[in-house]
Amino acid sequence: IYEGINSIQAIDLVFRKLFIKNRYIIDRYIESIEEEIKKNQNKIKIKPFTEKLSHYLGILANFTNWIEVSVKNSKDDASAACNDYLKVLGLIALAYSWLRVLHVSYREINNNKKFFEDKIETANFFFNRVLPRIDAYYNSAISGSKYIMDFKFN
């Protein structure tokens, strides 16, 4: 059931919600993340995180453009990419949240050292071990639907 619900939500996102109002919602979301990156990019301890998020945000923007073209030209390709797009968007949302947590953690670390060190350590894990999964989701998605549509079921 879990995978089915995710697929339905992913299809709804890509085919119904993503391009409402000429991409206003997704473009505004990307802009808000870019603003947070700019706010933190000159802070020495946060800069490596902003660089990674900026890189993967670029992939999300490219993926969104690819989806937009695919919805018009190959609904099969867009359909095959829906789950991967949902995962990429979710990972970007988590990275955005972690960037905000890092901002507070470094600012407040002297008030509760152990607590904020744990937050920073968890953010390091996320940015280095989880966020890079975006590469695999993106590359899988843009490979198209041929491998799915041509599959011979026995």
Side-chain angles (χ1 to χ4, degrees), residues 3 8 21 32 39-40 46 48 56 65 67 73 82 94-95 97 109 117 121 144 147:
E3 289 82 7
I8 291 167
K21 298 181 183 179
S32 68
K39 185 169 87 175
N40 288 286
I46 301 177
Y56 288 112
N65 293 335
I67 288 279
N73 297 333
C82 287
L94 286 170
S97 296
I109 197 161
E117 282 177 343
E121 186 177 329
Y147 303 105

Side-chain angles (χ1 to χ4, degrees), residues 65-80:
N65 293 335
W66 184 89
I67 288 279
E68 186 173 28
V69 169
S70 295
V71 164
K72 294 173 187 167
N73 297 333
S74 175
K75 290 206 185 313
D76 286 343
D77 285 352
S79 294

